[in-house]
């Protein structure tokens, strides 16, 4: 065995170990040396008669102490890794005489095991334990990625949604509850469930309760950005999955305006806050139109603050173009309010002149975007005209949209090329209709207005073959279809009604369950100021041309 003493006998003889004078030395008359102070070891099969080596020459060290605490203390000072230690276990006195001897024990100090990287197989990395917030974020990211480019692509709601998972680690309970509602509702829409069962009412009620608490106690419910994100998601969920026209959507739009405007125009927008604002801008402007009030964001301070924030941002050009469009069209509620005044007093030429003064710059801006941004996209092939596979007899060609940035995630930009295209056409029709009302009062006929409405309506129709593949989440396209209806002939109007019902096949807008000429025109005239909004769900209001239900 390695490092085991071969004998405790004395140096000169065959010792019987009867020290201090062994029997052999006594018989031969020699002075007994006593127990030898060197050891004979068998190391790898070889004998060693040398005296006990020093620690620098061998890995064996003798420590003459029977105190374990002293032994451990000595180890740290006198040994090196790998040292073999001889521990003095006990001391004995011979039966005859004054000699003593010691019982020794070999040991090694404990050291952590070092793996040989060249030979060992690495152990598998243990799976980290995920917190509930991390698990929810993982589920949400999965929803964002598995349906890219389809009608269930959540990025249709806006690019800001991609930034929300990283916020789930915050202390905002309302954001977590709202995201859980979104994930569950989206998952239900992928299963073979009737549309009425998609929205989880229990989670929906809980999210509304958390939102109410966050608005009542903002200092205790996380950041304002998280509250805005929750409101924006609830707005989108209700628009896409809530199939009854209720007041919650209006309250969310009003709440978004209040929360965003609370900090003032120079509050300093982070990337998420800026994108959330513009991703919900259309809904906020809609609410202002329904309420007959000017948008709070129409004032110069807000316009300058938004434009400066966009210039400093690292957003892609198509997103900046979309957000710039919303900034310029903040005038929409104001134009509608002026039209309502003209409807009440058709002889008010001063109001008509003000309407012309405010609407004309908006028309010029929209035409500039058409001649620059869209002309460039068409020339480069980002927007293509191809054969129409659905209604070739009605429209020989239709639009297709190509990814404009192959170095970027397609789904982040792709939906917004389409959205910018049809939203621009829709707003061009809206502004032209309001300007047309001013011209009627001023007894001025501008044939270009009718031509412009017709041109942009045709553009919306030819987007349909592509947009129908984006059901159910591209629901905002139905607003563009409705505004295009007024410029259509009879055949085209039948197409518009069919397309609206097809886009909303899962919604069945109550209470009659389908679109009609009366309901379409009531909405078109309501959002251009020609009829009032009436808080009622009585469909006869629209059938009789009294107004638009709100």
């Amino acid at each position: 065995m390695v490092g085991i003493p071969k004998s405790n006998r004395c140096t000169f003889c065959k010792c019987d170990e009867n020290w201090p004078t062994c029997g052999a030395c006594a018989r031969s008359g020699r002075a007994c040396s006593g127990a030898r102070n060197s050891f004979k070891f068998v190391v790898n099969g070889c004998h060693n008669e040398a005296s006990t080596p020093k620690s620098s020459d061998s890995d064996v060290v003798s420590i003459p102490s029977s105190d374990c605490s002293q032994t451990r203390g000595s180890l740290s000072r006198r040994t090196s890794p790998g040292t073999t230690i001889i521990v003095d276990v006990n001391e004995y006195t011979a039966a005859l005489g004054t000699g003593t001897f010691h019982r020794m024990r070999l040991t090694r100090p404990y050291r952590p095991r070092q793996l040989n990287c060249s030979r060992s197989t690495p152990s598998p990395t243990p799976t980290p334990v995920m917190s509930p917030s991390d698990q929810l974020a993982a589920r949400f990211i999965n929803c964002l990625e598995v349906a890219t480019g389809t009608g269930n692509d959540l990025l249709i709601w806006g690019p800001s949604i991609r930034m929300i998972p990283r916020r789930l680690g915050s202390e905002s309970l309302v954001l977590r509850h709202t995201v859980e509602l979104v994930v569950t509702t989206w998952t239900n829409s992928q299963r073979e469930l009737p549309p009425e069962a998609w929205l989880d009412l229990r989670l929906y009620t809980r999210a509304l309760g958390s939102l109410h608490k966050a608005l009542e106690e903002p200092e205790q419910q996380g950041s304002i950005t998280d509250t805005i994100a929750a409101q924006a998601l609830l707005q989108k969920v209700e628009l896409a999955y809530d199939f009854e026209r209720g007041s919650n959507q209006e309250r969310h739009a009003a709440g978004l305006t209040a929360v965003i405007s609370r900090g003032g125009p120079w509050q300093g927008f982070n990337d998420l806050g800026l994108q959330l604002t513009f991703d919900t801008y259309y809904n906020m402007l809609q609410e202002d139109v329904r309420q007959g009030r000017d948008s709070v964001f129409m004032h110069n301070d807000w316009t300058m603050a938004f434009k400066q924030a966009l210039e400093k941002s690292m957003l892609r050009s198509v997103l900046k173009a979309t957000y710039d469009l919303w900034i310029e069209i903040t005038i929409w509620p104001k134009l509608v309010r002026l039209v309502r005044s003209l409807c009440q007093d058709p002889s008010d030429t001063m109001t008509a002149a003000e309407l012309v003064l405010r609407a004309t710059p908006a028309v010029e801006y929209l035409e500039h975007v058409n001649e620059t941004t869209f002309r460039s996209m068409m020339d480069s092939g980002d927007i293509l005209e191809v054969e129409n596979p659905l209604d070739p007899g009605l429209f020989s060609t239709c639009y297709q949209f190509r990814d404009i940035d192959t170095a970027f995630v397609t789904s982040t930009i792709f939906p917004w090329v389409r959205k910018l295209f049809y939203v621009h056409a829709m707003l061009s029709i809206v502004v032209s209709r309001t300007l047309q009302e001013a011209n009627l009062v001023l007894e001025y006929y501008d044939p270009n207005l009718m031509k412009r409405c017709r041109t942009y309506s045709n553009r919306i129709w030819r987007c349909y073959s592509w947009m129908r593949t984006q059901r159910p989440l591209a629901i905002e396209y139905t607003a563009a279809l409705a505004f295009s209806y007024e410029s259509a002939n009879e055949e085209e109007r039948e197409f518009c009604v069919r397309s609206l019902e097809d886009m909303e096949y899962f919604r069945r807008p109550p209470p009659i369950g389908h679109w009609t000429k009366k309901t379409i025109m009531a909405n078109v005239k309501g959002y251009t100021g020609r009829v009032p909004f009436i808080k009622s769900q009585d469909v006869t209001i629209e059938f009789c041309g009294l107004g638009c239900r709100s």
Side-chain angles (χ1 to χ4, degrees), residues 534-549:
I534 300 175
K535 282 192 171 295
S536 173
Q537 292 301 305
D538 184 0
V539 72
T540 59
I541 292 173
E542 296 178 352
F543 282 155
C544 298
L546 300 177
C548 181
R549 291 174 293 164

Side-chain angles (χ1 to χ4, degrees), residues 177-398:
H177 287 170
T178 305
V179 169
E180 187 172 355
L181 169 67
V182 172
V183 170
T184 302
T185 302
W186 184 90
T187 303
N188 288 341
S189 72
Q190 307 302 296
R191 301 162 58 192
E192 295 182 0
L193 295 175
E196 295 80 7
W198 291 355
L199 188 67
D200 190 309
L201 295 179
R202 181 184 63 84
L203 296 179
Y204 176 59
T205 303
R206 186 181 68 171
L208 286 178
S210 297
L211 176 60
H212 177 75
K213 188 173 182 180
L215 294 175
E216 292 291 328
E217 303 173 359
E219 67 282 353
Q220 300 180 11
Q221 300 298 322
S223 72
I224 295 299
T225 301
D226 293 337
T227 303
I228 295 173
Q231 286 179 292
L233 288 177
L234 278 170
Q235 176 86 31
K236 301 296 185 182
V237 165
E238 291 172 356
L239 183 64
Y241 298 114
D242 186 8
F243 309 124
E244 293 186 6
R245 184 185 299 180
S247 59
N248 282 334
Q249 295 175 20
E250 297 177 15
R251 284 203 296 268
H252 293 323
L256 282 164
T257 302
V259 173
I260 294 171
S261 62
R262 185 182 300 161
W266 304 107
Q267 58 188 282
F269 292 93
N270 57 31
D271 288 342
L272 178 58
L274 183 66
Q275 293 189 38
L276 284 169
T277 298
F278 286 111
D279 288 351
T280 57
Y281 213 75
Y282 173 67
N283 306 113
M284 291 188 286
L285 292 182
Q286 272 189 318
E287 173 64 7
D288 290 331
V289 169
R290 285 192 292 263
Q291 298 299 325
R293 65 192 178 209
D294 295 347
S295 172
V296 67
F297 305 123
M298 189 182 73
H299 301 290
N300 289 334
D301 285 348
W302 280 103
T303 301
M304 292 175 60
F306 282 148
K307 288 188 174 182
Q308 287 185 17
L310 284 179
E311 289 175 2
K312 294 178 181 178
S313 71
M314 301 298 292
L315 298 175
R316 298 284 168 157
S317 58
V318 66
L319 293 179
K320 285 188 175 182
T322 304
Y323 297 162
D324 275 328
L325 177 63
W326 288 123
I327 293 173
E328 296 296 332
I329 301 301
T330 308
I331 194 68
W332 175 21
K334 177 73 171 181
L335 299 180
V336 170
R337 191 171 63 82
L338 292 174
V339 171
R340 287 176 180 168
S341 296
L342 291 179
C343 291
Q344 294 172 1
D345 184 5
S347 64
D348 188 355
T349 56
M350 293 294 291
T351 300
E354 182 184 359
L355 179 55
V356 171
L357 186 65
R358 293 184 178 276
T360 300
V363 171
E364 292 173 352
Y365 169 79
L366 291 166
E367 286 303 300
H368 174 73
V369 172
N370 182 55
E371 293 299 324
T372 56
T373 303
F374 293 130
R375 184 60 57 191
S376 175
M377 289 182 179
M378 290 179 180
D379 291 342
S380 63
D382 298 324
I383 301 175
L384 303 171
E385 289 192 55
V386 299
E387 292 185 2
N388 188 355
L390 296 179
D391 293 282
L394 190 59
F395 311 109
S396 59
T397 61
C398 64

Side-chain angles (χ1 to χ4, degrees), residues 443-469:
E443 297 182 352
Y444 173 73
Y445 176 70
D446 183 359
N448 290 327
L449 289 178
M450 295 295 294
K451 182 179 179 181
R452 189 177 296 120
C453 289
R454 175 75 183 174
T455 298
Y456 287 116
S457 295
N458 184 272
R459 178 174 290 182
I460 292 170
W461 300 331
R462 290 197 289 159
C463 289
Y464 170 70
S465 64
W466 184 272
M467 294 306 301
R468 73 185 302 271
T469 65

